[in-house]
Amino acid sequence: MHIHTLTVQNFQSIHDPITVSLVLNKNAPDDHRSWITADGTRLTKALAVLGANGSGKTTIIKSLAFLYWFMAHSFQLPHGAPIPVLAHFCTPQEPTMLELEFSLADKLYRYRVSLTPERVVQESLHVRQQRGFAYLFTRVWNTSTAQYDIKQQQFGLTPKEAAKVRPNASLISTAAQFDVALAQQLTQLHISANVDVM
C-alpha cells in the first residue's frame, strides 16, 4: 500500500478539511527521496509537517492510525459499542470525515468514511479507471428507513451479507469476515505509527 493523499475534517483538533499529499509535482527533484508508482505518479518517501504546539500535527498521524484501524479492524468492536472517534469541540454533533487515496497492486483506490460515535453515516470505496473513479461499494445511512442503502459493483459481498454490516463497523472489515478477496487484502495491510487514536 502506498499512500497518495489523506483528507481529514472535524477530527479532534482539526475542524476545517485539510489534505496531506505525498504526490510530487514536476518541479520536485527526481532523486532518491522519491519513487514512482506503477501508474507513473511520483511520491515522496518522507514528509515534514511544521507548525506551532497544538496546531494539529500529531492529530494528522492520529487520524491516519484511526482510519486504518477502522477500515481493517472495526469488526472487532462489540455490537453496540461506540466508535472511538472524537469530533472537533465546535461541532461535536457533526460527523467526522476521513478520506484516503492509496495505490495497491497497480490500482489507485479512494476510501471515504463519514461517521459519528453512534454510526457510520457514509462509506465508500472507489477504484480509478480510465474515465475516473468508479465505486466498488457505497453505503449511506437512510434516516427514513433506519437502514443502510448499499450499492456494490465487483466488490464481492452478497446483498444478504452486506445487510449484516453493523453501524459501528466498516463494510471492508465486515466483508473480510466473509472472505471477500479485496477486503482481506486491505485488512492485512499494516500502517505503523508512534501514536494511536488515543
Side-chain angles (χ1 to χ4, degrees):
M1 173 191 229
H2 306 293
I3 296 171
H4 290 228
T5 63
L6 170 68
T7 301
V8 184
Q9 181 177 8
N10 198 33
F11 179 85
Q12 296 186 1
S13 64
I14 297 172
H15 182 262
D16 296 328
I18 63 161
T19 298
V20 177
S21 177
L22 280 73
V23 179
L24 296 172
N25 63 29
K26 294 178 181 179
N27 297 326
D30 187 7
D31 57 24
H32 66 280
R33 294 171 291 182
S34 67
W35 59 279
I36 300 174
T37 64
D39 69 351
T41 304
R42 287 183 60 224
L43 301 176
T44 182
K45 293 180 181 178
L47 180 71
V49 180
L50 305 177
N53 288 343
S55 63
K57 301 182 299 296
T58 303
T59 304
I60 293 169
I61 299 171
K62 286 182 181 181
S63 70
L64 181 60
F66 170 80
L67 183 58
Y68 166 71
W69 168 84
F70 183 77
M71 186 171 68
H73 303 294
S74 56
F75 185 82
Q76 297 171 2
L77 276 176
H79 184 71
I83 300 169
V85 64
L86 180 64
H88 191 272
F89 70 91
C90 289
T91 49
Q93 303 305 317
E94 295 295 318
T96 294
M97 191 283 294
L98 301 161
E99 179 182 284
L100 186 68
E101 282 193 13
F102 60 95
S103 54
L104 176 68
D106 301 338
K107 293 183 179 178
L108 182 65
Y109 294 91
R110 178 184 293 153
Y111 176 71
R112 180 182 290 171
V113 66
S114 177
L115 42 70
T116 66
E118 293 75 34
R119 71 173 46 87
V120 171
V121 179
Q122 295 182 359
E123 183 184 19
S124 63
L125 179 66
H126 292 74
V127 62
R128 189 169 70 183
Q129 297 179 342
Q130 290 181 349
R131 297 182 181 179
F133 280 91
Y135 75 87
L136 295 173
F137 74 79
T138 63
R139 170 190 179 201
V140 180
W141 177 252
N142 187 325
T143 54
S144 61
T145 63
Q147 293 181 349
Y148 285 103
D149 297 330
I150 299 173
K151 295 190 296 186
Q152 299 181 72
Q153 47 183 20
Q154 301 176 351
F155 185 61
L157 188 63
T158 68
K160 183 179 178 181
E161 293 163 346
K164 296 177 182 177
V165 66
R166 299 192 316 260
N168 66 349
S170 75
L171 195 137
I172 292 173
S173 181
T174 303
Q177 312 308 309
F178 293 100
D179 299 325
V180 173
L182 177 58
Q184 288 186 325
Q185 276 186 290
L186 294 174
T187 58
Q188 290 169 7
L189 299 173
H190 187 68
I191 293 179
S192 297
N194 64 344
V195 297
D196 61 24
V197 70
M198 306 309 287

